[in-house]
């Protein structure tokens, strides 16, 4: 078993870390306060082709569609600098652009992927509703056939990048069969009449990432914009989330790494009782536990990415990665605040932001409780 990175992956890591240090770290605090992504950083992200990370070069992408470990490294390094940018890139690629490449027709790829790859249009995945959170099957937004079109009516909430997205993957109810609700995924252009952005959420963490309510009122979508097959939307949504969770796991790994590095730095510099606090066993044990948790999360994430790229079943692995990584990020961020003491509560230090950002990771893309259900149901079905 080879745990080493390829030369290309090492290059990706170095280039992305340098980029993040130069363009994201200096504006992360201000972006968090303003609750919006920095415009200059946005343009630099476009220039670096991070919006097209998971797409082939033929559609304007960076060509990592078969190197999910490479993609995970990119998201990790971006998130180490700013978790809000990390989730923006992870969601745009993982649950918007890549699914169109993976499941879309050639016409759909030609119509949507180039703008997504260039970042001219941001992508969003729209599943969650007021009554359809952990119970994803409770979708109530409807799509009714009218000639060669479908008319969408309803509301989505908590859509990551929803307020800035122009290409939306929308899960809608398209009927019932044998008393079971049928759902379908539609690709919706954000400029379609009847579509509007509702409330922008005021969140605990990743505040620079836009999270919004989306309203669909008599929105007409051509039937050729159905992603996959009619009535198979729930199954497709689960496949999309399986891949998306790898990106979220990578985001949490980067965030946990940032918290760990901040703790090591502070522990070497902060002097109490005549010596750096890093010489005290209580601090050393915290740092050791944080390091083990983050490295475990990284390995879980890379394994899920490896399984995906080798055509193996990766659904349970991605749930494991997301669960372990999000809880590792929370452990590392909690430890970082504790190590910083009173300074850890102050916005002058980034660990306060890391703590808020980390809590988000245990909730979105499926809560920790849902991940445990997914993992356990897989094991029970297979007999472990």
């Amino acid at each position: 078993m080879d745990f080493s990175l390829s030369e290309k992956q090492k290059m990706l890591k170095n280039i992305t870390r340098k980029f993040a240090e130069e363009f994201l770290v200096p504006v992360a605090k201000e972006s968090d306060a303003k609750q919006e992504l920095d415009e200059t950083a946005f343009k630099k992200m476009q220039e670096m082709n991070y919006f097209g990370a998971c797409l082939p070069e033929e559609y304007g992408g960076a060509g990592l569609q078969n190197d999910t470990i490479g993609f995970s490294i990119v998201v990790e390094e971006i998130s180490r600098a700013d978790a809000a940018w990390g989730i923006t890139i992870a969601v745009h690629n993982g649950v918007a652009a890549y699914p169109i490449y993976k499941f879309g027709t050639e016409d759909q790829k030609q119509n949507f992927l180039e703008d997504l790859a260039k970042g001219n249009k941001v992508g969003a995945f729209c599943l969650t509703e007021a009554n359809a959170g952990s119970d994803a099957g409770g979708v109530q937004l409807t799509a009714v056939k009218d000639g060669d079109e479908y008319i969408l009516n309803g509301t989505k909430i908590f859509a990551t990048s929803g307020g800035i997205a122009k290409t939306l993957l929308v899960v809608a109810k398209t009927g019932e069969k044998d008393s079971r609700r049928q759902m379908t995924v539609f690709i919706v252009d954000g400029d379609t009449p009847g579509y509007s952005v509702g409330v922008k959420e005021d969140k605990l963490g990743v505040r620079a990432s836009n999270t919004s309510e989306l309203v669909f009122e008599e929105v007409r979508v051509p039937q050729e914009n159905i992603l996959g097959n009619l009535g198979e939307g729930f199954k497709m949504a689960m496949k999309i989330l399986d891949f998306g969770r790898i990106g979220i796991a990578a985001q949490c790994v980067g965030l946990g790494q940032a918290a760990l590095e901040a703790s090591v730095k502070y522990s070497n510099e902060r002097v109490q009782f005549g010596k750096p606090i890093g010489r005290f066993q209580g601090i050393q044990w915290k740092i050791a536990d944080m390091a083990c948790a983050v490295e475990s999360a990284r390995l879980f994430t890379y394994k899920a990415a490896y399984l995906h790229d080798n055509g193996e079943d990766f659904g349970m692995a991605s749930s494991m990665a997301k669960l372990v990584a999000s809880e590792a990020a929370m452990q590392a961020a909690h430890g970082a605040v504790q190590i910083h003491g009173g300074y850890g509560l102050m916005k002058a230090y980034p660990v306060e932001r890391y703590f808020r950002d980390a809590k988000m990771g245990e909730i979105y893309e499926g809560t920790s409780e849902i991940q445990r259900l997914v993992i356990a149901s897989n094991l029970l079905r297979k007999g472990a």
Side-chain angles (χ1 to χ4, degrees), residues 194-243:
Y195 166 74
S196 62
V197 177
V199 175
K200 177 184 176 182
E201 300 295 344
D202 188 6
K203 307 190 302 294
L204 170 74
V206 290
R207 290 169 63 81
S209 165
N210 183 289
T211 303
S212 297
E213 172 191 48
L214 306 178
V215 181
F216 299 80
E217 296 179 315
E218 299 291 306
V219 175
R220 289 184 168 270
V221 180
Q223 65 180 12
E224 56 263 30
N225 278 22
I226 290 175
L227 185 64
N229 297 318
L230 182 69
E232 296 184 1
F234 182 82
K235 183 179 179 180
M236 173 155 298
M238 295 305 102
K239 288 182 179 179
I240 291 171
L241 289 174
D242 281 345
F243 183 74

Side-chain angles (χ1 to χ4, degrees), residues 95-105 108-109 112 125 168-170 183-187 221-233 236-237 240:
V95 296
Y98 183 76
I100 295 176
Y101 165 68
K102 182 73 173 179
F103 304 113
T105 65
Q108 289 171 343
K109 295 175 186 179
F112 295 104
F125 180 63
L168 317 167
L169 298 192
V170 181
M183 295 185 287
T184 303
V185 179
F186 293 87
I187 308 173
V221 180
Q223 65 180 12
E224 56 263 30
N225 278 22
I226 290 175
L227 185 64
N229 297 318
L230 182 69
E232 296 184 1
M236 173 155 298
I240 291 171

